[in-house]
């Protein structure tokens, strides 16, 4: 079969996700070069895409895009609809497929889809349009260790052929899509590190990164902008960042870099500068279009601090940088509803990563301890009991033996008919 007879469409919305896909391509997990025509489908899922940083503006994007035969824009293809909310009505799917085959020059080729977050749009919409196509899912973060966020239509679930994921917690297996019998496949560590090095090379002339490096930082603080998710207020999130800085200062770090979330307001960094002045710490804000991993590659910090960012585990696993958490318990206690998909990343980080404010020494977590998988599976059951009824027995035993309130609130246990442990 020639490349014109077979097309692979890779849907991405973040550079981290695109790097994951690129590493899998380099490792031969999508076949040999030339086996298929490869199309990079870029989507901007920000609330207001027109005002958000475009993926093609990220440092290193061009290195990733070079692996593909062409790039197309999903936002343009479905304009004026929003990628996160639009999906075709069932009767419209064949028409949309004809439109996109014509617009993208696909002809009658067999189409294979590689998507992120298949349970939501735009991936779900793309799978609905190409209703005969096989689907592979790639997971670019800690959410892959948790249950599938929503039920999939059987018409899509039966076509999912596998989940590609990074080994962010060595020894822990993803729950994602396992209720549909979908297996998981690791993206090789060495392939992903090679892609991260390639992206970092593209930042050789980045003035913001050079300025950050010149300050001689020893610690990096990761912002996540939890206020936009309604988990914290803007003031509470400012205080969370201040706690990170105070914790780093108390651990002896005198030059610190803060990497805000790309959508965070400027006021976050203004408040942090004031906190740094009070703590006698040199603060540099790295707000350019860079991955945190590019900073790790170039500056080799001695500490990375965050709440539950995937970039914390990337620092530990791929760069052997000690990590510490701040505010994880606060956010876990505040998170609603219980089945919120951020719960598993929070659970994993809370269990693996030392609390900076408790005096625990930052460290590289290493392989998953024997206590982690039972916890994740019990929480996963409590999040999506109808998707994983087979986990109920494990969850009952875990809750009875070790079910602390932080992960298993009494109200949720009552909803599921599980017994609240005595003495709690």
């Amino acid at each position: 079969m020639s490349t014109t007879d077979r097309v692979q469409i890779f849907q991405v919305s973040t550079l981290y996700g695109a790097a994951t896909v690129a590493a899998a391509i380099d490792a031969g997990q999508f076949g040999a070069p030339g086996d298929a025509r490869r199309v990079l489908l870029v989507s901007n899922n920000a609330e207001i895409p027109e005002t958000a940083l475009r993926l093609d503006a990220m440092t290193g994007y061009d290195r990733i895009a070079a692996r593909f035969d062409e790039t197309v824009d999903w936002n343009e293809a479905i304009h004026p609809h929003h990628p996160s909310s639009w999906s075709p009505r069932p009767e419209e799917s064949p028409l949309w497929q004809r439109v996109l085959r014509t617009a993208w020059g696909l002809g009658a080729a067999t189409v294979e889809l590689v998507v992120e977050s298949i349970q939501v749009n735009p991936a779900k919409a793309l799978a609905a349009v190409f209703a005969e196509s096989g689907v592979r899912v790639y997971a670019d973060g800690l959410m892959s260790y948790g249950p599938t966020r929503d039920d999939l239509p059987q018409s899509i679930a039966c076509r999912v052929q596998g989940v590609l994921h990074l080994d962010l917690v060595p020894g822990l297996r993803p729950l994602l899509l396992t209720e549909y019998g979908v297996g998981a496949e690791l993206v090789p560590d060495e392939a992903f590190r090679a892609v991260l090095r390639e992206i970092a090379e593209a930042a050789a002339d980045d003035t913001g990164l050079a300025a950050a490096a010149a300050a001689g930082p020893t610690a990096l603080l990761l912002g996540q902008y939890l206020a936009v998710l309604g988990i914290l207020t803007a003031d509470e999130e400012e205080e969370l960042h201040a706690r990170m800085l105070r914790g780093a200062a108390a651990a002896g770090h005198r030059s610190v870099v803060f990497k805000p979330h790309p959508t965070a307001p400027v006021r976050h960094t203004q408040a942090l500068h004031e906190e740094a002045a009070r703590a006698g710490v040199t603060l540099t804000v790295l707000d350019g279009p860079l991955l945190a991993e590019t900073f790790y590659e170039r500056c080799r910090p001695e500490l990375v601090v965050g709440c539950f960012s995937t970039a914390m585990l990337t620092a530990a696993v791929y760069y052997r940088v000690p990590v510490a958490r701040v505010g994880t318990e606060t956010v876990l206690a505040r998170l609603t509803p219980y089945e919120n998909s951020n719960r598993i990343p929070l659970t994993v980080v809370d269990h693996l990563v030392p609390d900076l404010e408790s005096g625990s020494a930052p460290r590289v977590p290493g392989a998953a301890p024997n206590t982690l998988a039972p916890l994740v599976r019990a929480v996963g059951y409590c999040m999506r009991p109808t998707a994983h009824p087979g986990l109920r027995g494990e969850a009952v035993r875990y809750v009875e033996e070790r079910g602390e309130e932080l992960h298993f609130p009494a109200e949720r246990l009552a909803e599921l008919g599980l017994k609240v442990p005595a003495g709690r």
Side-chain angles (χ1 to χ4, degrees), residues 36-113:
R37 174 182 159 202
R38 288 174 175 156
V39 177
L40 182 64
L41 177 62
V42 177
S43 62
N44 186 332
N45 306 336
E47 185 175 359
I48 307 176
E50 293 78 10
T51 63
L53 180 69
R54 290 176 56 91
L55 180 56
D56 58 11
M58 292 287 292
T59 301
Y61 167 82
D62 290 344
R63 303 287 185 99
I64 301 298
R67 288 169 169 80
F68 299 87
D69 296 296
E70 61 194 283
T71 301
V72 293
D73 189 305
W74 181 247
N75 294 58
E76 291 180 2
I78 65 169
H79 183 79
H81 304 289
H82 192 285
S84 295
S85 58
W86 179 82
S87 61
R89 292 193 292 265
E91 65 273 16
E92 295 176 339
S93 292
L95 176 60
W96 270 99
Q97 183 173 156
R98 288 197 295 272
V99 168
L100 295 180
R101 280 184 177 273
T102 299
W104 298 342
L106 305 181
T110 298
V111 171
E112 302 167 5
L113 302 176

Side-chain angles (χ1 to χ4, degrees), residues 206-254:
D206 187 278
T207 55
L209 184 58
T218 57
L220 174 70
L221 316 180
L222 295 165
Q224 287 182 253
Y225 196 21
L226 303 177
V228 76
L229 301 177
I231 298 173
L232 300 178
T233 66
D235 288 342
E236 288 170 333
E237 186 150 33
E238 282 186 12
E239 177 57 21
L240 176 64
H241 297 152
R243 288 166 61 188
M244 292 180 187
L245 188 142
R246 288 194 293 266
H253 297 273
R254 312 320 302 169

Side-chain angles (χ1 to χ4, degrees), residues 86-420:
W86 179 82
S87 61
R89 292 193 292 265
E91 65 273 16
E92 295 176 339
S93 292
L95 176 60
W96 270 99
Q97 183 173 156
R98 288 197 295 272
V99 168
L100 295 180
R101 280 184 177 273
T102 299
W104 298 342
L106 305 181
T110 298
V111 171
E112 302 167 5
L113 302 176
V114 183
V115 301
E116 60 182 355
S117 302
I118 183 61
Q119 63 273 22
V120 295
N121 297 317
K124 190 175 178 181
L126 190 65
V129 168
F130 291 94
E132 308 83 19
S133 296
V135 180
R136 293 176 75 182
V137 175
Y138 69 90
D140 64 347
L142 295 173
M143 286 185 186
S144 66
Y145 296 113
T148 314
R149 176 170 154 185
D150 299 300
D151 292 333
L152 289 181
Q154 186 57 32
S155 59
I156 293 178
C158 68
R159 292 185 280 130
V160 180
Q161 299 168 346
V163 173
L164 283 162
H165 71 104
L166 299 170
D167 202 13
L168 294 169
V169 186
L172 186 64
R173 300 285 291 174
L175 268 179
L176 179 67
L177 296 171
T178 54
E179 68 269 40
Y180 301 107
V182 177
E185 181 181 358
L186 285 172
V187 177
D189 288 352
E190 61 274 14
F192 189 59
R193 267 302 308 267
V195 172
L196 294 179
R197 282 194 296 269
E198 188 178 343
I199 291 173
E201 289 169 2
D205 299 324
D206 187 278
T207 55
L209 184 58
T218 57
L220 174 70
L221 316 180
L222 295 165
Q224 287 182 253
Y225 196 21
L226 303 177
V228 76
L229 301 177
I231 298 173
L232 300 178
T233 66
D235 288 342
E236 288 170 333
E237 186 150 33
E238 282 186 12
E239 177 57 21
L240 176 64
H241 297 152
R243 288 166 61 188
M244 292 180 187
L245 188 142
R246 288 194 293 266
H253 297 273
R254 312 320 302 169
S255 181
V256 172
V257 168
F258 175 63
K259 189 178 189 312
H261 189 279
T263 59
V266 174
R267 60 174 282 194
H268 277 193
T269 57
Q270 290 174 335
L272 202 58
H273 275 294
E274 295 170 3
E275 187 66 37
R278 286 191 290 270
V281 171
T282 298
L283 175 68
T284 306
V285 176
L286 190 65
D287 56 1
L290 297 167
L291 286 179
E293 290 73 19
T294 296
F295 177 84
Y296 305 157
E297 191 77 45
R298 294 287 300 278
C299 298
R300 303 293 172 146
E302 299 171 10
L303 169 68
V304 171
V305 184
C307 184
F308 63 99
S309 170
T310 293
M312 297 168 66
L313 274 298
T314 311
V317 171
Y318 297 105
Y319 296 92
R320 312 306 297 170
V321 177
V323 294
R325 59 180 169 87
V326 170
T328 305
E329 292 185 2
T330 302
V331 177
L332 258 175
R334 192 76 65 85
L335 196 65
T336 56
Y338 185 87
E339 56 270 25
N340 188 307
S341 52
N342 288 303
R343 185 169 299 278
I344 289 296
L346 279 159
T347 299
V348 169
V349 171
D350 178 74
H351 196 76
L352 285 182
V353 179
D355 182 354
L356 188 63
E357 295 175 307
S358 72
S360 301
R363 62 184 175 87
V364 176
N370 293 335
T371 52
L372 180 59
L375 170 62
V376 168
R377 289 165 68 83
V379 172
Y381 169 77
C382 291
M383 289 173 67
R384 297 290 319 283
T386 57
H388 295 279
L391 295 181
R392 183 175 176 87
E394 290 182 49
V396 168
R397 288 191 296 274
Y398 190 94
V399 169
E400 289 178 348
E401 295 171 6
R402 291 174 282 182
E404 66 275 30
E405 175 73 18
L406 180 65
H407 296 297
F408 304 98
E411 181 180 358
R412 185 62 173 182
L413 296 182
E415 290 173 2
L416 299 175
L418 298 179
K419 183 179 178 182
V420 178

